[in-house]
Amino acid sequence: MTAVVIDGRAFAADLRTRIATLAAEFEAKAGRKAGLAVVLVGEDPASQVYVRSKGKSTIEAGMASFEHKLPADTDQATLLALVEQLNADPAVDGILVQLPLPRHIDEQTVIATINPDKDVDGFHVTNAGRLAVGQPGYVPCTPLGCLMLLKDKLGDLAGLDAVVIGRSNIVGKPMAQLLLAESCTVTVAHSKTKDLPDVVRRADIVVAAVGRPEMVKGDWIKPGATVIDVGINRVPAATEGKTRLVGDVDYAGAAEVAGAITPVPGGVGPMTIAVLLRNTLVAAWRNAGLNLPADAI
Ligand code: NDP
């Protein structure tokens, strides 16, 4: 193996330490804690785990966590009323509605109801627009975490060829916008892309956000490239009845060729919650009219 392993767990832990320091500074200045409200509708087991973990991390960072758990049959009007109430609550800096929502609720309507200045997930069209035109706003946590890892590893990204595989609103598209803002030459690949291996071979930076286990092979990678694997796929393990997590990249193959690579687990995954805390803290400083020290987080 030639690639340097990008340790997302260590980077996220360091980021959380810096967030905790700034959260304490915020509390001293504002006279209240920065607050994140998380709304969960229904009993989806994976969502319950995420919500619990977000709440715990928020408290560990010295911020206030407001959890709202609603039954699966909650109607849309009730959910929208809760979002409006959180929009108006000065103790709440960030609002996150855990997705997916039950089928009888329209996700876009719910996201559109969140005040864009409390939209710490960065899913509101106002924040997508702000990202596209280069205005301050909130960027989806996973791609922002990927960018932080890339800048930490590579420094200035200007002029590098970046290929993003995947064009979802929550990962692929904002990732492409972030890399463009860093002056990369960006290609966005998707399920209709022709000759994907050849497209990926041009890349100095590969970000894989596809949802297909180990799809990106080692011989698709340009020697020395930096590979960011966003994928989280559960596949059968060698032991019968067990499963294991793999990314969208064939890690063993790619690590032979790449200059640096994120593992799964332990790469991008730990960054997502850390960036959620970061976005919430940024929202708190902005919403309180305070100036966050430049480049603090
Ligand atoms: P989506 O399913 O929304 O998007 C997948 C994208 O991959 C689509 O744009 C699709 O193209 C493209 N795609 C599918 N098949 C191919 C193919 N054969 N070749 C090229 N492109 C293809 O997924 P998400 O963006 O939400 O998530 C992507 C992965 O990242 C998943 O594994 C998910 O679990 C993981 N994830 C991890 C997070 C983390 O915290 N680490 C957070 C969020 C996601 P098209 O648009 O043409 O259909």
Side-chain angles (χ1 to χ4, degrees):
M1 169 166 153
T2 58
V4 171
V5 179
I6 299 175
D7 187 345
R9 233 174 240 141
F11 190 96
D14 178 60
L15 178 58
R16 281 156 71 146
T17 304
R18 284 182 282 138
I19 289 167
T21 305
L22 286 163
E25 209 177 302
F26 174 81
E27 189 176 352
K29 281 190 183 351
R32 66 171 182 87
K33 286 185 192 293
L36 174 65
V38 179
V39 181
L40 174 64
V41 185
E43 277 101 41
D44 177 65
S47 294
Q48 284 180 327
V49 172
Y50 292 142
V51 166
R52 209 174 307 132
S53 161
K54 285 167 186 170
K56 188 167 165 273
S57 305
T58 305
I59 290 164
E60 277 169 9
M63 301 196 255
S65 167
F66 309 102
E67 275 183 35
H68 295 267
K69 292 186 178 160
L70 306 178
D73 61 358
T74 300
D75 62 28
Q76 182 165 310
T78 305
L79 177 59
L80 295 182
L82 173 61
V83 171
E84 294 286 13
Q85 181 197 318
L86 298 171
N87 282 342
D89 186 343
V92 172
D93 296 293
I95 301 169
L96 181 153
V97 178
Q98 185 66 43
L99 303 179
L101 288 166
R103 276 211 297 239
H104 65 278
I105 297 177
D106 180 46
E107 283 183 0
Q108 288 310 318
T109 304
V110 176
I111 292 168
T113 306
I114 298 173
N115 176 349
D117 295 329
K118 295 190 176 189
D119 168 41
V120 286
D121 251 344
F123 294 165
H124 195 289
V125 287
T126 298
N127 283 316
R130 287 167 168 168
L131 175 61
V133 298
Q135 289 176 5
Y138 297 97
V139 177
C141 301
T142 301
L144 184 53
C146 293
L147 185 74
M148 287 179 178
L149 293 177
L150 280 167
K151 288 177 79 167
D152 182 59
K153 185 82 220 103
L154 297 173
D156 185 10
L157 307 183
L160 296 179
D161 282 317
V163 172
V164 179
I165 319 173
R167 56 173 163 180
S168 71
N169 289 337
I170 62 168
V171 189
K173 279 183 203 157
M175 187 74 242
Q177 294 283 6
L178 285 168
L179 291 165
L180 189 58
E182 295 295 327
S183 298
C184 291
T185 304
V186 183
T187 303
V188 183
H190 46 75
S191 65
K192 305 289 187 292
T193 298
K194 283 185 285 175
D195 304 324
L196 183 61
D198 280 346
V199 171
V200 175
R201 267 181 212 116
R202 294 202 297 262
D204 303 306
I205 294 170
V206 181
V207 180
V210 189
R212 293 186 181 261
E214 301 178 317
M215 185 189 84
V216 177
K217 304 300 177 201
D219 65 0
W220 299 16
I221 305 297
K222 176 159 118 178
T226 303
V227 178
I228 303 289
D229 190 351
V230 182
I232 302 180
N233 309 289
R234 204 163 270 288
V235 297
T239 321
E240 212 184 307
K242 301 264 184 216
T243 58
R244 65 190 176 98
L245 287 184
V246 297
D248 291 339
V249 177
D250 167 17
Y251 182 81
E256 292 294 331
V257 193
I261 186 166
T262 57
V264 177
V268 174
M271 291 300 292
T272 299
I273 289 186
V275 176
L276 173 68
L277 301 177
R278 180 243 173 232
N279 283 357
T280 303
L281 191 62
V282 170
W285 285 72
R286 283 183 188 158
N287 294 344
L290 296 167
N291 284 327
L292 187 64
D295 293 329
I297 37 173

